[in-house]
Amino acid sequence: MSAPPLAPLPAAAIPSRPDSPPPHPVPVERIGDDTRQWPVWSTTARLVTTDPAALDEAYSLGVAELAAVGSAASRFREDSEISAVHRAAGRPVEISPLLAELLRAALHVARETGGDVDPTVGSALTRLGYDRDLDDLDRAVAGLPTAGFSQVSVSTAASWRHLQLSGRMLTVPTGVIVDLGATAKAWTADRCARLVADRLGTGVLVSLGGDIATAGPGPSGGWQIHVQDRPGDPATSVTLPPGAAIATSSTVSRQWRHGDRAMHHIINPRTCAPVEPVWRSATVAAYRCVDANAQSTAALVRGRDALAGLDRIGAPARLVAADRTVHTTRAWPEEVHR
């Protein structure tokens, strides 16, 4: 997924998973004439249009798409399509075109990353206590150990190769739980941005928890983006050209308490345990958000080997180490520190 030097973007880009749409009425914040933001999927959605007159309709389109993805792909909702597939216990199920697209994207990412980003880690996440929406978990993790994740005992169940998708017929082996969190949010950001730009003819930026996609004409000077995962982390500002995307994956932003240990949601598919937090966060830019997020998530799984691998494919990338030192690839733009 090589790309020319982009000026990336995110802002606490945390890969989250689709869950139930927020209760209505949703507290929507209007920021100026061109921006709306609202809570969704245990994070914040933000939508910006270059044409303020298109904002209301763009927001309606975005909300509808997010609701459709949650209904199709949330492993936390009993009424979702993917939950029905799990209940089929190994029998083939005909799924909707939307869920089929989401699955194809996840399987493509698994192949491209050599299995480092695997949609079958839902079984491991469930055993580690991530079995409901993050807001419903015990997130009091201050002072708890986070090292030694390789010693966490979680039995393996399957890999992405065990999923069978033929057209719209999906077979998931008994006991395997599909989790599309590593791809669905970024894929949806891409989809929403393209939909708004195509339907309304406006330039648009869609941010879902920091997985950011753009489409259509950009503002004068490009999209100006503040890059920082968590307060206290080193920050920078960059310019994203129209049509580009960026994603940040984090080992610190989505944590919960499981017994006497702090857990996070980036899973090594080979150990079925949270990855060792060599990196606090990884940010990657590309021309599709789903590609950027694939590489940022894989970087956290690959640990110390990640930076060299990102350099080899020419990816604009910025990694923040556990000690908060910043490491960038050659394709990352010049830093503007804040």
Side-chain angles (χ1 to χ4, degrees):
M1 279 175 262
S2 177
L6 296 181
L9 98 103
I14 312 160
S16 65
R17 38 255 322 126
D19 49 37
S20 303
H24 294 283
V26 176
V28 181
E29 184 179 2
R30 187 163 186 144
I31 304 171
D33 294 332
D34 61 357
T35 303
R36 278 194 179 182
Q37 69 178 31
W38 65 98
V40 68
W41 301 348
S42 297
T43 187
T44 299
R46 175 176 284 206
L47 189 148
V48 186
T49 57
T50 57
D51 178 6
L55 182 61
D56 288 347
E57 190 172 353
Y59 167 72
S60 296
L61 290 171
V63 167
E65 288 299 310
L66 292 171
V69 172
S71 180
S74 173
R75 68 181 173 92
F76 303 132
R77 291 178 52 175
E78 288 297 317
D79 64 344
S80 72
E81 275 196 85
I82 199 63
S83 292
V85 173
H86 294 153
R87 290 192 294 272
R91 298 187 303 275
V93 176
E94 184 174 11
I95 59 177
S96 68
L98 175 58
L99 184 56
E101 286 188 60
L102 286 160
L103 261 297
R104 279 193 290 271
L107 294 173
H108 172 76
V109 165
R111 284 190 296 271
E112 289 292 300
T113 62
D116 288 332
V117 183
D118 189 319
T120 64
V121 296
S123 305
L125 286 166
T126 298
R127 294 188 184 99
L128 293 170
Y130 197 176
D131 56 357
R132 71 205 81 158
D133 183 77
L134 190 69
D135 291 338
D136 296 329
L137 298 178
D138 183 355
R139 303 188 68 183
V141 299
L144 294 181
T146 57
F149 282 122
S150 60
Q151 300 172 12
V152 176
S153 177
V154 179
S155 60
T156 59
S159 80
W160 63 276
R161 290 186 174 86
H162 292 91
L163 300 182
Q164 299 177 35
L165 178 63
S166 177
R168 288 172 51 192
M169 297 304 297
L170 173 64
T171 304
V172 175
T174 302
V176 174
I177 299 175
V178 174
D179 181 276
L180 297 174
T183 53
K185 184 163 62 67
W187 183 91
T188 304
D190 284 327
R191 180 183 177 96
C192 287
R194 288 194 304 270
L195 176 66
V196 169
D198 292 346
R199 187 80 59 85
L200 305 181
T202 182
V204 60
L205 179 149
V206 176
S207 170
L208 298 177
D211 283 349
I212 303 173
T214 70
S220 176
W223 296 101
Q224 304 301 310
I225 307 299
H226 175 70
V227 180
Q228 184 181 37
D229 179 44
R230 299 293 295 169
D233 285 352
T236 189
S237 294
V238 292
T239 301
L240 192 72
I246 203 164
T248 295
S249 298
S250 171
T251 60
V252 296
S253 289
R254 296 181 71 83
Q255 293 188 344
W256 67 95
R257 183 186 187 110
H258 186 58
D260 61 353
R261 190 175 294 277
M263 295 292 163
H264 67 78
H265 74 297
I266 305 296
I267 299 296
N268 184 329
R270 295 164 186 83
T271 65
C272 285
V275 302
E276 293 291 343
V278 173
W279 307 109
R280 289 178 62 83
S281 64
T283 299
V284 178
Y287 282 99
R288 294 196 312 162
C289 194
V290 70
D291 294 335
N293 198 22
Q295 292 300 332
S296 63
T297 302
L300 299 184
V301 174
R302 292 165 182 166
R304 292 174 180 83
D305 297 329
L307 195 65
L310 290 166
D311 243 335
R312 278 195 299 273
I313 64 173
R318 178 182 190 264
L319 279 62
V320 179
D323 63 0
R324 290 184 169 83
T325 56
V326 175
H327 304 256
T328 62
T329 61
R330 290 185 292 272
W332 184 259
E334 184 178 351
E335 293 270 292
V336 180
H337 298 286
R338 286 186 175 180

